[in-house]
Amino acid sequence: MLNIVVLVSGGGTNLQALLDAKKDGKIPNGEFVKVISSKPGVYALERAAKAGVATAVVERKGKTAEEFETALLAELKAAKADLIVLAGFMTILGEKVIKEYPEKIVNVHPALIPSFCGKGFYGLKVHEAALEYGVKVTGATVHFVNEIPDGGRIIAQKAVEIDEGITAEELQKKVMEQAEWIILPQAVAKLCDERK
Ligand code: GAR
């Protein structure tokens, strides 16, 4: 059984998809042991609490990058994390954490990497960029986290068609529903099965 820690910064719909998959027996070889938020008061923390998962807040604000990393690493160690999932985590991880967990950190990105990814491409901005470019297909990617933002080995991808006249908000929702909430739990379950 792998100890899974989920890192969040916001609403936590991807976290919910993971918790629901666990509840439905779809992640038999993984246990959600802690949810860590980089922001206090976010709804993702409530979702974790409702599912009976321990929570912690390691605020990015008011800390140097090094202080943040040290505090985050302490929480990950305390949780005995085997697998770390970034689910709407809006802070780029530093080298110390990445080096400590090689191919043990996965991220979900709301585009088909290598399009619309890297520094500055997060949340709604990704979908705005896709619409501005005029691509007809976008999607989501689950990948390992290394020192290059959105640059680690790809684990899973799913394409989503862009409808004429769709807004960035509508596209974000469509990509979540048709791609992220499906491929993230599947990828986590598969990694747990392989590493149990
Ligand atoms: C999701 O679309 C996720 O892919 C994206 O932020 C949203 C978070 O939603 N993540 C990134 O852009 C990371 N670069 P959620 O909190 O409801 O899961």
Side-chain angles (χ1 to χ4, degrees):
M1 185 70 85
L2 271 74
N3 286 338
I4 308 169
V5 174
V6 186
L7 306 192
V8 298
S9 303
T13 64
N14 278 288
L15 167 67
Q16 192 65 57
L18 290 166
L19 296 171
D20 290 347
K22 176 66 197 171
K23 203 171 109 205
D24 294 345
K26 291 178 181 158
I27 310 179
N29 294 308
E31 192 74 63
F32 291 94
V33 293
K34 196 184 270 184
V35 170
I36 304 173
S37 175
S38 61
K39 283 189 199 143
V42 297
Y43 191 57
L45 289 167
E46 259 178 68
R47 295 181 191 271
K50 271 186 197 148
V53 178
T55 60
V57 176
V58 178
E59 250 191 288
R60 177 65 190 89
K61 223 172 121 190
K63 287 189 188 69
T64 66
E66 196 171 339
E67 284 165 353
F68 175 72
E69 256 206 307
T70 304
L72 185 59
L73 207 48
E75 285 289 350
L76 294 170
K77 296 250 168 186
K80 295 189 165 53
D82 300 308
L83 185 66
I84 299 159
V85 183
L86 312 190
F89 187 62
M90 297 304 176
T91 299
I92 291 179
L93 282 182
E95 206 176 285
K96 234 160 94 185
V97 174
I98 290 169
K99 279 222 171 97
E100 189 74 28
Y101 296 99
E103 299 236 317
K104 289 181 180 175
I105 310 175
V106 303
N107 177 47
V108 60
H109 182 74
L112 293 173
I113 290 175
S115 289
F116 312 114
C117 65
K119 210 166 182 271
F121 286 97
Y122 58 87
L124 201 60
K125 286 176 196 279
V126 178
H127 304 290
E128 285 165 354
L131 289 180
E132 198 183 331
Y133 198 98
V135 291
K136 302 299 175 203
V137 174
T138 185
T141 304
V142 177
H143 64 93
F144 286 114
V145 172
N146 66 7
E147 59 291 344
I148 304 157
D150 296 324
R153 191 156 68 84
I154 290 172
I155 302 166
Q157 286 189 307
K158 193 164 185 288
V160 172
E161 277 185 35
I162 298 184
D163 316 294
E164 197 71 43
I166 197 170
T167 66
E169 287 81 4
E170 288 163 349
L171 182 58
Q172 180 177 49
K173 188 161 178 272
K174 188 175 182 189
V175 169
M176 283 176 163
E177 285 172 353
Q178 295 191 5
E180 296 184 56
W181 300 343
I182 300 164
I183 63 171
L184 182 62
Q186 280 176 353
V188 167
K190 188 160 177 277
L191 283 170
C192 290
D193 292 348
E194 288 166 2
R195 298 177 179 186
K196 67 179 176 198

